[in-house]
Amino acid sequence: MAPKWWTLLAVCLAIFMLLLDITIVNVALPDIRRELDSSFTDLQWVVDAYALALAAVLLATGSLGDLLGRRRIFVIGILMFVLASLLCGLATTPTMLNLARGLQGVGGAMMFANSLALIAQEFPPHERGTAFGLWGATTGFAVAVGPLAGGVLTEGLGWEWIFFVNIPIGLLTAAMTVARVPLSDRDPTARIDWPGVVTFSGALFCLVLALIEGNDEGWTSALVLGLLVGSVLLLGAFVAIERRSAQPMFDLSLFSNRTFTGAQIVAFCLHASIFSIFLYLTLYLQNILGYSALEAGLRFLPVSLLSFVVAPLAGKLAERLPVRGFLGAGLITVGAGLLLMGGIEPSDDWTTLLAGFIFSGIGIGLINPPLATVAIGVVEPQRSGVASGINSTFRQVGTATGIAGLGAIFQARISHKLSDALSGTPLPPGAEDQLSAAVTSGGAQAAARAAPPQARDALIEAARRAFVDGLDEILVVAALVAFVGGILAFALVRSSDFVGSQEPELV
């Protein structure tokens, strides 16, 4: 087999492993909570630690690949991901798990940032469409099978195996890469924008931490206000640094193109809405409805399979039709799906979510291939790597902030509803806060175990009502995010902004 096909195979295996680890985790979270005695905040960090690390260093690791060789950094990233996966599976505390998840994110960034560059170096321009198509199919398949694979592994072998499964795949891929993938050229003029990395990651970390800790510490507490102010100051410093840098990590000049800006808004809103809500839907399916990890994974199949089926059709049609229609309509369809999931009653079964799952799956499929086309199609070919990296960064920033922001609303709503429901029930000091935390992370049964005996029966019904009310509220918020993104996609994205395109705009 020619080296180019070995390269494509190695890259697809690595990306499959990386993206699978994003979607596979959700259905294992209730089991992780029980076995590690995790709080709701801990569960948020299981997802956010990975997304934050990936977003923070993605662009920098692309520059590192240019400087030291893409194959070398790609292999180092795989081995780091394997080591982190081992540590995740061996974790005995939530802190150990979340630190290992952060390390996974760094390894994932090394792989992701250099994957397309490795393909581009081996395939001539007239063959890259086929190669990128197979790469895209791999990403779609990973997203599609993630919830089901997570359910099978969690129920059959234990939650640790959603991480242990990466070890043989990663070692095989690393060995294949070293043996079969040609060395890539180095660029001795490449530089890592360390001030940009520090200020960007610091701003993002402070924002997410403030959103996660706001309910527990108080939104006007010195800690939360300090984190929010620190995030704004660090973000301002980051923008100033990037404007003055000769080799910026984040090329702000690209945002002068309104279509490029629109693509980043779409990426952010897609992940801050539907992909962020998956965490809370998983908790609902398992902690309120009582489904196992496998049963919950099966119920996510309408979203996964429809997005997988619709995506290639949207990619083909987007070659002939104005792309903003796919991005705008896709996000509005996602928003409609989120609204259709709402209105949940404590007595409802999972089928109340089915119509919303169908709409959301179609919307995701409409967006993903055209979004990748827009992200790199409006810049010169030599800047496509940077443009793709920025788009991937906005996706992960959307996930990290979406989970934290929705979690803050969710937690506050549950606490408020429980307080109203138990206003006439005598409870020991501090018991209400403990019950609220138990409901948020573990549902009605966890709250019942934490409740005083005299309040147990009343609490089970109150806990179910509080949980579904909180879920209903964040479904509406997520839908609004999707709708805003869809409107901005229609307003900003123009066919005339594509490099070399003479396609007339749809007006």
Side-chain angles (χ1 to χ4, degrees), residues 200-246:
F200 179 72
S201 57
L204 188 56
F205 177 79
C206 286
L207 174 61
V208 171
L209 185 60
L211 291 173
I212 289 177
E213 296 294 335
N215 283 309
D216 292 336
E217 298 292 333
W219 292 101
T220 58
S221 66
L223 173 63
V224 172
L225 290 177
L227 287 169
L228 292 173
V229 170
S231 178
V232 172
L233 293 176
L234 285 168
L235 185 61
F238 170 72
V239 171
I241 289 167
E242 298 307 286
R243 283 181 172 175
R244 290 169 173 76
S245 175

Side-chain angles (χ1 to χ4, degrees), residues 407-421:
I409 298 169
F410 182 62
Q411 195 173 14
R413 181 67 170 172
I414 286 178
S415 179
H416 176 72
K417 293 294 291 187
L418 274 181
S419 180
D420 287 348

Side-chain angles (χ1 to χ4, degrees), residues 12 20 26 45 69 111 186 263 267 272 353 380 387 389 396 454 467 470-471:
C12 286
L20 189 68
N26 282 337
W45 277 115
M111 291 189 285
R186 301 184 190 183
L353 304 173
E380 298 81 3
Q396 299 307 319
Q454 71 272 20
F467 192 102
L471 182 57

